Amino acid sequence: MSLPPGFLDELRGRVSIADVAGRKVTWDQRKSNPGKGDWWAPCPFHQEKTASFHVEDRKGFYYCFGCHAKGDAIGFVMETENVPFMEAVEILAREAGMSMPARDPQAQAKIDRGNQLAQVMEAAVRYFRMQLASGRGADARAYLDGRGLPQATRDRFEMGFATDDRQGLFTHLTGKGIAAKDIVDAGLAAEPDGGGAPYDRFRGRIIFPIRDARGRCTALGGRAMDPNARAKYLNSPETVLFDKGRSLYNHAPAREAAGKTGRLIVAEGYMDVIALAQAGFDHAVAPLGTAITEHQLAMIWRMCDEPVLALDGDKAGLRAAERLIDVALPLLEPGKSLRFVVLPEGQDPDDLIKAHGPNAMQTLLDRAQPMVQLLWARETRGQVFDSPERRAALDARLREKLRAIRDPGLRRHYGEAVRDLREGLFQGNRGPQARGPGGAGPGGWRPTLPRGQATQGTRSSLLAQGETAPARLREALILAAAMRAPRAALSMETALERLPFSDPEMGKIRDALLAALDMDLGVQTAREAIHRSMSDTLGFDPMAYVMSLPPVRIHPHLRDGAEEALVAQTLAEDLEKHAAVLGAEADLSEAEEELGGVANESLTWRIQQASAARAKATRASVAGGGTEEEDRENLSKQLQKLLDDEVWVKKGR
């Protein structure tokens, strides 16, 4: 609703911010000067011992010199009570004795009807609590005792008991003068299909009142006492008062607690929330028996930027979490996300706390995983990625999921996180099934051995010293082609991602390129947009960097205006050549290691000769003087000659 001009100014004028803040802080009397409306206290928004929170009552503002929180009375209520703007205005208006502006007649009628039904619900709550305390509630009390729920907890959550009578509640409420229609409209009773008197919806159940953010009872939840009941849990139907997809159990108390702690736990049901609260986790809510909706997510995020979902350790709990991913991805914003805790198999929070205590629960919460981990687990669980096709299918699925993220920066960071996870999976799975032809790893090449593992002879060879100029030139050609043909680069994303770089700057350009390609996943992004994004990320012009090498600058397929198909062909060919050279280098390194570390002049000389031949073939490859097959064959012959000559055997003179 809109507020008339001047309403907020009048409200601020009537409300003392010192009075409002004084309910949440303890004023430092030595530092404060009440006569001037100058107040100081430890800040309610962050943990501190000194009085850095300052209120200027005459100006109506507060400011913290520690955490820099600032605002007026409305903002203070919003932050400390964890309520939206309009609700904060209503709270202060009631305190100031101001009437909120009238709404349109239809909206006002709906509000009035809701308030009327809320009174009916309160009468029902009182009745059910009375039944729990009566003789007929003995079995229900024994059940609650067995669950470890003492009287204090029952009172706190206003638990009740619905007897097995068909019209127990209905008869009681009508006897109090409440109209039958109101009882039905509140969802407390149902009318038989064939006509007749309404009957109670809740029978033979433990009752849990469900209250909205304002504290009104809008619905009931009931747990069956009979283990053979058709439904273990039953909620009120949707009414004028109750919208299941826009409600959370324990909303108001958890909102207040979350405002103090900055934390929120989302559990699966009533008993989970109650068990958590008993253990000191007051900041817990639960959806009402259904998957979390967009509206509930918005409510949750208003309470806490990064809530933790604590899920039962069973398949149903995991499925619920994985369904939530698809709901949450389009709604994510920078700073607004979800973390997940999956409890040990077969346990819920109540089981865990009873068995191991609150500290065990806190330990799990502290180890909560970000949502990207759960997304990755869902898309890879139970699968083997032993072929390019399977890996490409995984890439396509992930790309499709990440496309739902609306914020470009956040989508880019998700893409980077997914690439890290892919790298960990594929590098850690290089058994026979995961390897490419000839034993090469994914992407067509094998990594060279770490320098620290080489023998002295290997370290002295030209191969180990690393002639980086040809490699740097190949890398520049590949990057130039990828920036000229982004659609082709996207199709070869995996090969680009796995490309080792001898030049760190080239590596940074590759990373910026992959991130820029993710700006518009699956769709060709304008080269200009990619170029701008990369330049912003790197702080320099990546195209100018790679074009600084003359062979790249004069390459006929890499000039401005070159046909995209030719650029794409250049990219594919250079990636293959680079893979061939790296594979040959790996062959030579492995040969040196297999020679047993014998360091003599003959071995060193022959390895150097092979390295020189490798460099010569590399230069020819870069210059377009030979095919990838020819390069590979020449390099393999050099290696074979080393083996045939048995260079490790000391020859007689």
Side-chain angles (χ1 to χ4, degrees):
M1 62 175 290
S2 60
L3 298 171
F7 181 85
L8 292 179
D9 290 338
E10 183 180 356
L11 176 62
R12 292 186 179 103
R14 289 196 188 189
V15 171
S16 164
I17 189 171
D19 290 343
V20 173
R23 296 195 294 265
K24 301 291 184 180
V25 302
T26 300
W27 299 120
D28 186 330
Q29 298 299 331
R30 294 173 298 177
K31 196 173 182 180
S32 301
N33 190 338
K36 294 184 178 180
D38 192 62
W39 299 88
W40 293 85
C43 181
F45 303 115
H46 75 286
Q47 299 296 323
E48 65 169 4
K49 296 180 180 179
T50 58
S52 61
F53 179 75
H54 182 218
V55 167
E56 292 189 69
D57 199 31
R58 294 178 181 178
K59 294 182 180 180
F61 287 96
Y62 66 86
Y63 179 76
C64 176
F65 289 88
C67 69
H68 308 295
K70 60 182 178 180
D72 59 6
I74 298 173
F76 187 86
V77 172
M78 290 174 64
E79 293 296 327
T80 56
E81 301 291 339
N82 216 5
V83 296
F85 174 81
M86 196 56 69
E87 191 168 344
V89 171
E90 292 179 356
I91 290 171
L92 292 175
R94 285 197 299 270
E95 293 181 4
M98 294 175 62
S99 299
M100 291 294 290
R103 299 172 172 85
D104 67 84
Q106 288 185 340
Q108 189 61 49
K110 184 177 180 179
I111 291 171
D112 292 342
R113 181 58 173 162
N115 290 334
Q116 185 180 14
L117 295 181
Q119 294 177 13
V120 177
M121 295 299 299
E122 294 295 349
V125 170
R126 290 193 294 271
Y127 170 78
F128 288 132
R129 294 189 68 184
M130 180 177 63
Q131 293 302 308
L132 180 60
S134 70
R136 301 188 66 184
D139 290 343
R141 293 195 301 274
Y143 169 79
L144 295 175
D145 288 339
R147 292 294 300 263
L149 300 174
Q151 187 62 45
T153 299
R154 301 174 202 176
D155 292 340
R156 176 180 177 180
F157 289 93
E158 302 175 282
M159 297 181 196
F161 174 60
T163 64
D164 212 14
D165 299 330
R166 181 177 175 82
Q167 290 184 309
L169 175 65
F170 183 80
T171 301
H172 173 79
L173 294 180
T174 53
K176 295 287 186 180
I178 297 175
K181 177 175 174 51
D182 292 347
I183 301 172
V184 172
D185 288 351
L188 296 170
E191 295 176 322
D193 294 337
Y199 60 90
D200 293 353
R201 285 187 179 272
F202 296 91
R203 303 190 302 275
R205 293 178 180 271
I206 304 289
I207 299 297
F208 303 89
I210 299 168
R211 296 187 178 275
D212 64 11
R214 295 165 55 187
R216 300 182 307 169
C217 181
T218 58
L220 301 174
R223 189 202 188 281
M225 292 289 294
D226 184 355
N228 298 317
R230 286 192 301 174
K232 183 177 179 180
Y233 285 97
L234 177 68
N235 290 327
S236 293
E238 297 202 355
T239 67
V240 171
L241 194 59
F242 177 57
D243 183 337
K244 182 164 53 177
R246 296 173 183 263
S247 303
L248 294 167
Y249 183 65
N250 199 43
H251 188 170
R255 182 179 63 183
E256 183 177 354
K260 297 175 181 177
T261 64
R263 300 176 180 179
L264 184 70
I265 304 169
V266 183
E268 290 196 25
Y270 318 115
M271 295 302 296
D272 294 333
V273 168
I274 293 170
L276 287 165
Q278 279 199 146
F281 302 96
D282 297 328
H283 46 282
V285 297
L288 301 171
T290 60
I292 295 175
T293 66
E294 292 184 16
H295 297 296
Q296 287 171 324
L297 260 184
M299 294 162 64
I300 288 167
W301 274 326
R302 281 198 293 270
M303 289 186 270
C304 177
D305 289 340
E306 200 173 54
V308 175
L309 278 83
L311 307 163
D312 293 354
D314 54 21
K315 292 182 180 179
L318 190 58
R319 283 196 301 269
E322 293 179 343
R323 285 195 302 268
L324 179 58
I325 292 174
D326 295 324
V327 176
L329 282 173
L331 306 176
L332 295 178
E333 298 175 6
K336 298 280 188 183
S337 188
L338 300 171
R339 299 184 79 85
F340 293 83
V341 164
V342 179
L343 277 69
E345 186 173 357
Q347 290 191 334
D348 58 25
D350 189 22
D351 298 326
L352 180 69
I353 291 168
K354 284 178 179 175
H356 304 289
N359 288 339
M361 187 71 210
Q362 185 60 58
T363 298
L364 282 181
L365 294 172
D366 292 339
R367 296 174 181 171
Q369 296 294 310
M371 192 169 75
V372 68
Q373 294 279 359
L374 198 68
L375 170 64
W376 174 257
R378 183 184 73 175
E379 298 301 327
T380 58
R381 184 181 299 111
Q383 300 184 54
V384 176
F385 301 99
D386 57 357
S387 69
E389 293 83 1
R390 290 182 176 183
R391 294 180 187 182
L394 172 64
D395 292 345
R397 290 198 306 273
L398 290 168
R399 222 179 264 120
E400 178 68 24
K401 296 302 179 185
L402 299 193
R403 190 181 294 123
I405 301 174
R406 296 168 183 167
D407 183 89
L410 184 58
R411 185 167 65 237
R412 183 171 63 251
H413 284 295
Y414 258 76
E416 292 169 355
V418 166
R419 276 195 294 274
D420 289 343
L421 291 166
R422 287 172 66 255
E423 183 173 352
L425 172 66
F426 295 159
Q427 285 189 348
N429 188 27
R430 293 194 175 193
Q433 291 184 329
R435 292 184 179 274
W445 56 72
R446 289 177 296 190
T448 56
L449 291 169
R451 184 180 293 270
Q453 295 181 9
T455 65
Q456 182 62 41
T458 301
R459 287 196 294 272
S460 66
S461 71
L462 291 178
L463 175 62
Q465 293 171 16
E467 298 174 359
T468 59
R472 184 169 182 266
L473 182 53
R474 289 195 307 272
E475 294 159 8
L477 287 166
I478 290 168
L479 290 173
M483 286 187 279
R484 294 283 191 209
R487 182 164 55 186
L490 188 60
S491 69
M492 304 176 202
E493 181 182 23
T494 300
L496 282 168
E497 189 175 1
R498 303 214 159 275
L499 182 68
F501 279 93
S502 59
D503 183 337
E505 293 301 316
M506 296 287 189
K508 293 178 183 177
I509 292 173
R510 184 272 311 274
D511 294 342
L513 171 65
L514 293 173
L517 290 174
D518 280 342
M519 288 191 308
D520 211 354
L521 291 167
V523 180
Q524 182 181 7
T525 305
R527 284 189 297 181
E528 293 76 12
I530 284 182
H531 189 241
R532 284 196 302 272
S533 174
M534 293 177 67
S535 298
D536 291 344
T537 300
L538 296 166
F540 62 85
D541 186 339
M543 186 62 80
Y545 186 88
V546 298
M547 285 293 181
S548 64
L549 299 178
V552 182
R553 192 163 54 247
I554 65 175
H555 196 295
H557 297 165
L558 297 180
R559 296 172 179 171
D560 285 331
E563 186 178 341
E564 184 177 354
L566 294 176
V567 181
Q569 180 181 349
T570 298
L571 175 61
E573 289 177 352
D574 285 328
L575 280 170
E576 290 178 1
K577 291 174 183 177
H578 196 51
V581 173
L582 292 175
E585 289 178 348
D587 287 342
L588 288 170
S589 292
E590 289 177 8
E592 290 180 345
E593 292 300 309
E594 290 173 3
L595 297 182
V598 179
N600 57 41
E601 293 178 3
S602 174
L603 171 62
T604 302
W605 181 83
R606 291 173 185 272
I607 291 292
Q608 289 175 344
Q609 289 294 99
S611 179
R614 184 264 306 159
K616 182 178 179 180
T618 299
R619 287 191 291 272
S621 174
V622 171
T627 66
E628 180 265 329
E629 290 82 1
E630 291 169 346
D631 295 338
R632 179 77 181 196
E633 183 179 357
N634 289 335
L635 292 167
S636 296
K637 286 179 179 178
Q638 291 286 334
L639 174 62
Q640 189 60 49
K641 187 170 181 4
L642 289 173
L643 299 175
D644 292 342
D645 289 351
E646 297 183 335
V647 296
W648 59 91
V649 178
K650 187 173 181 178
K651 303 293 192 294
R653 294 184 181 272

